[in-house]
Amino acid sequence: MTVEQAAALRVMVVDDHPMWREAVSRDLAEAGLDVVATAGDGEEAVRRARACSPQVVVLDLNLPGLPGVEVCRQVVGQDPSVRVLVLSASGEHADVLEAVKSGATGYLVKSAGREELLDAVRRTAVGDAVFTPGLAGLVLGEFRRLAAEPGPVSAPAAPQLTSRETEVLRLVAKGLSYRQIADRLVLSHRTVQNHVQNTLGKLQLHNRVELVRYAIEQGLDDEV
């Protein structure tokens, strides 16, 4: 991502602790990102996200009013193009999985450094799944467990994907970030994003969580 693209990022910060909220907002603004709104509780966050249309929401889970996972669900539900990066004091596995299932793109614990947070926000904006080290494997393992459970597949039985879309989907199922997929296939980051968006539309899915589960159900993660 270029400096100009990073500077154009519209970010919203949601945290119930004023000092932490202000510190994160200041770090983002000083790095050239556009902090379009902040919020201190869940209901305020949903309202302001609707009004300000951020590209990325940096979201704490422990909020008064609506809990963070419900904020995530509503914000992504009203605008699926919004990316949510959870920034939480909790690294509990249950919290991580619940956040991802509610639509979060990534999850960092608050012990992350300033540069790690800035990089995570920028990567989240372009669709990369960003996790505190150790948590990505947990999430992928949960996808595999869910895929092994009996139940109806949530997508058409025979979607017409191009060979390139299938190739990208296979790498998504293996847990690669969009940036890693772009490097592997010698494509631009934007091209990978477009393939993923087209695939979501064809499969009638809504987010990366559902996409990875579908790919694993189809056995694409086991292919060489």
Side-chain angles (χ1 to χ4, degrees):
M1 176 176 293
T2 66
V3 174
E4 290 77 10
Q5 288 172 318
L9 288 182
R10 297 168 54 82
V11 184
M12 176 177 172
V13 178
V14 183
D15 197 293
D16 64 328
H17 290 92
M19 289 182 64
W20 183 267
R21 185 171 68 245
E22 291 166 9
V24 171
S25 298
R26 183 173 60 251
D27 284 347
L28 296 177
E30 288 177 352
L33 281 68
D34 184 9
V35 180
V36 295
T38 63
D41 65 66
E43 294 179 353
E44 180 183 35
V46 173
R47 289 196 306 270
R48 292 194 173 179
R50 184 182 297 115
C52 297
S53 300
Q55 292 168 271
V56 178
V57 176
V58 179
L59 175 68
D60 188 18
L61 292 182
N62 187 20
L63 298 172
L66 288 177
V69 289
E70 183 58 29
V71 172
C72 181
R73 188 173 292 112
Q74 291 193 27
V75 167
V76 174
Q78 68 191 18
D79 184 356
S81 70
V82 176
R83 313 290 187 186
V84 176
L85 174 65
V86 170
L87 184 61
S88 174
S90 171
E92 293 294 324
H93 290 181
D95 290 335
V96 178
L97 294 175
E98 189 175 9
V100 173
K101 290 174 184 176
S102 71
T105 302
Y107 194 111
L108 286 186
V109 294
K110 286 186 174 180
S111 57
R114 178 180 182 274
E115 292 305 316
E116 187 178 0
L117 172 61
L118 293 174
D119 180 64
V121 171
R122 292 174 177 131
R123 290 174 57 197
T124 297
V126 294
D128 278 352
V130 184
F131 293 92
T132 290
L135 297 183
L138 164 75
V139 173
L140 192 58
E142 178 67 3
F143 289 154
R144 295 178 188 278
R145 185 190 70 77
L146 289 173
E149 293 182 349
V153 176
S154 58
Q160 298 301 309
L161 300 182
T162 67
S163 59
R164 180 63 88 184
E165 288 167 351
T166 301
E167 193 172 19
V168 169
L169 180 57
R170 176 174 59 81
L171 295 177
V172 169
K174 288 180 177 293
L176 273 67
S177 69
Y178 290 176
R179 181 179 298 173
Q180 290 170 324
I181 294 171
D183 290 343
R184 177 79 64 87
L185 300 180
V186 195
L187 299 172
S188 72
H189 206 296
R190 174 65 64 183
T191 298
V192 172
Q193 276 188 280
N194 289 340
H195 283 313
V196 171
Q197 290 303 315
N198 290 341
T199 301
L200 286 171
K202 289 182 178 181
L203 298 178
Q204 299 177 24
L205 301 177
H206 302 94
N207 53 49
R208 188 186 178 109
V209 176
E210 295 180 358
L211 187 63
V212 172
R213 180 175 180 178
Y214 171 83
I216 293 174
E217 285 172 342
Q218 301 303 308
L220 293 175
D221 60 315
D222 295 326
E223 297 181 8
V224 178

Coordinates of all heavy atoms in Angstrom, one line a residue, residues 86 88 90-97 100 106-109 130-142:
V86 N -10.3 -6.2 15.7 CA -10.5 -6.2 17.2 C -9.2 -5.9 17.8 O -8.2 -6.5 17.5 CB -11.1 -7.5 17.6 CG1 -11.1 -7.6 19.1 CG2 -12.5 -7.7 17.1
S88 N -8.2 -5.9 21.7 CA -8.7 -6.3 22.9 C -7.7 -6.7 24.0 O -6.6 -7.1 23.6 CB -9.7 -7.5 22.8 OG -10.2 -8.0 24.0
S90 N -8.1 -9.1 25.9 CA -8.3 -10.5 26.0 C -7.7 -11.3 24.9 O -7.9 -10.9 23.7 CB -9.8 -10.9 26.1 OG -10.0 -12.3 26.0
G91 N -6.9 -12.3 25.2 CA -6.4 -13.2 24.2 C -7.1 -14.6 24.3 O -6.6 -15.6 23.8
E92 N -8.2 -14.6 25.1 CA -8.9 -15.9 25.3 C -9.4 -16.5 24.0 O -10.0 -15.7 23.1 CB -10.1 -15.7 26.2 CG -9.7 -15.4 27.7 CD -8.9 -16.5 28.3 OE1 -9.3 -17.7 28.1 OE2 -8.0 -16.2 29.1
H93 N -9.2 -17.7 23.8 CA -9.6 -18.4 22.5 C -11.1 -18.2 22.2 O -11.4 -17.9 21.0 CB -9.2 -19.9 22.5 CG -7.8 -20.1 22.5 ND1 -7.2 -21.4 22.5 CD2 -6.7 -19.2 22.5 CE1 -5.9 -21.3 22.5 NE2 -5.6 -20.0 22.5
A94 N -11.9 -18.3 23.2 CA -13.3 -18.1 23.0 C -13.7 -16.7 22.5 O -14.5 -16.6 21.6 CB -14.1 -18.4 24.3
D95 N -13.0 -15.7 23.0 CA -13.3 -14.3 22.6 C -12.8 -14.1 21.1 O -13.5 -13.5 20.3 CB -12.5 -13.4 23.5 CG -13.1 -13.3 24.9 OD1 -14.3 -13.6 25.0 OD2 -12.4 -12.9 25.8
V96 N -11.6 -14.7 20.8 CA -11.1 -14.6 19.4 C -12.1 -15.2 18.4 O -12.4 -14.6 17.4 CB -9.7 -15.2 19.3 CG1 -9.2 -15.2 17.9 CG2 -8.7 -14.6 20.3
L97 N -12.5 -16.4 18.7 CA -13.4 -17.2 17.8 C -14.7 -16.5 17.6 O -15.3 -16.4 16.5 CB -13.6 -18.6 18.2 CG -12.3 -19.5 18.2 CD1 -12.6 -20.8 18.8 CD2 -11.7 -19.6 16.8
V100 N -14.3 -13.4 15.4 CA -14.2 -13.7 13.9 C -15.5 -14.2 13.4 O -15.9 -13.8 12.3 CB -13.1 -14.8 13.8 CG1 -13.1 -15.3 12.3 CG2 -11.7 -14.3 14.1
G106 N -9.7 -9.3 11.7 CA -8.5 -9.6 12.4 C -8.6 -9.3 13.9 O -9.6 -8.8 14.4
Y107 N -7.6 -9.7 14.7 CA -7.6 -9.7 16.1 C -6.2 -9.4 16.7 O -5.4 -10.3 16.5 CB -8.2 -11.0 16.7 CG -8.7 -11.0 18.1 CD1 -10.0 -11.0 18.4 CD2 -7.8 -10.9 19.2 CE1 -10.5 -11.0 19.7 CE2 -8.2 -10.9 20.5 CZ -9.6 -11.0 20.8 OH -10.0 -11.0 22.1
L108 N -6.1 -8.3 17.4 CA -4.8 -8.0 18.1 C -5.1 -7.9 19.6 O -6.1 -7.3 19.9 CB -4.2 -6.7 17.6 CG -3.5 -6.7 16.2 CD1 -2.9 -5.3 16.1 CD2 -2.5 -7.8 16.0
V109 N -4.1 -8.3 20.4 CA -4.3 -8.0 21.8 C -3.6 -6.7 22.1 O -2.8 -6.2 21.3 CB -3.6 -9.1 22.7 CG1 -4.4 -10.4 22.5 CG2 -2.1 -9.3 22.3
V130 N -5.5 -10.4 9.9 CA -4.4 -10.1 10.8 C -4.6 -10.5 12.2 O -5.6 -10.2 12.8 CB -4.1 -8.6 10.7 CG1 -2.8 -8.2 11.5 CG2 -4.0 -8.1 9.3
F131 N -3.7 -11.3 12.7 CA -3.9 -11.8 14.1 C -2.6 -11.7 14.9 O -1.5 -11.8 14.3 CB -4.3 -13.3 14.1 CG -5.7 -13.6 13.5 CD1 -5.8 -13.9 12.1 CD2 -6.8 -13.5 14.3 CE1 -7.1 -14.1 11.6 CE2 -8.1 -13.7 13.7 CZ -8.2 -14.0 12.4
T132 N -2.8 -11.5 16.2 CA -1.6 -11.6 17.1 C -1.0 -13.0 16.9 O -1.7 -14.0 16.8 CB -2.1 -11.4 18.5 OG1 -2.5 -10.1 18.7 CG2 -1.0 -11.8 19.5
P133 N 0.3 -13.1 16.8 CA 1.0 -14.4 16.6 C 0.4 -15.5 17.5 O 0.2 -15.3 18.7 CB 2.4 -14.1 17.0 CG 2.6 -12.6 16.6 CD 1.3 -12.0 17.0
G134 N 0.1 -16.6 16.9 CA -0.5 -17.7 17.6 C -2.0 -17.9 17.5 O -2.5 -19.0 17.7
L135 N -2.6 -16.8 17.1 CA -4.1 -16.9 17.1 C -4.6 -17.3 15.7 O -5.7 -17.8 15.6 CB -4.7 -15.5 17.4 CG -4.5 -15.0 18.9 CD1 -5.2 -13.7 19.1 CD2 -4.9 -16.1 19.9
A136 N -3.8 -17.0 14.6 CA -4.2 -17.4 13.3 C -4.4 -18.9 13.2 O -5.4 -19.4 12.6 CB -3.2 -16.9 12.2
G137 N -3.5 -19.7 13.7 CA -3.6 -21.1 13.7 C -4.9 -21.6 14.5 O -5.6 -22.6 14.0
L138 N -5.2 -21.0 15.6 CA -6.4 -21.3 16.3 C -7.7 -21.1 15.5 O -8.5 -22.0 15.4 CB -6.5 -20.4 17.5 CG -7.9 -20.3 18.2 CD1 -8.1 -21.5 19.0 CD2 -7.9 -19.1 19.1
V139 N -7.7 -20.0 14.7 CA -8.9 -19.7 13.9 C -9.0 -20.7 12.8 O -10.1 -21.2 12.5 CB -8.8 -18.2 13.4 CG1 -10.0 -18.0 12.4 CG2 -8.9 -17.2 14.6
L140 N -7.9 -21.0 12.1 CA -8.0 -21.9 11.0 C -8.3 -23.3 11.5 O -9.1 -24.0 10.9 CB -6.6 -22.0 10.3 CG -6.5 -22.7 9.0 CD1 -7.5 -22.1 8.0 CD2 -5.1 -22.7 8.4
G141 N -7.9 -23.7 12.7 CA -8.2 -25.0 13.3 C -9.7 -25.0 13.6 O -10.4 -26.1 13.4
E142 N -10.3 -23.9 14.0 CA -11.7 -23.9 14.3 C -12.5 -24.0 13.0 O -13.6 -24.7 12.9 CB -12.1 -22.6 15.0 CG -13.6 -22.4 15.3 CD -14.2 -23.4 16.3 OE1 -13.4 -24.2 16.8 OE2 -15.4 -23.4 16.5

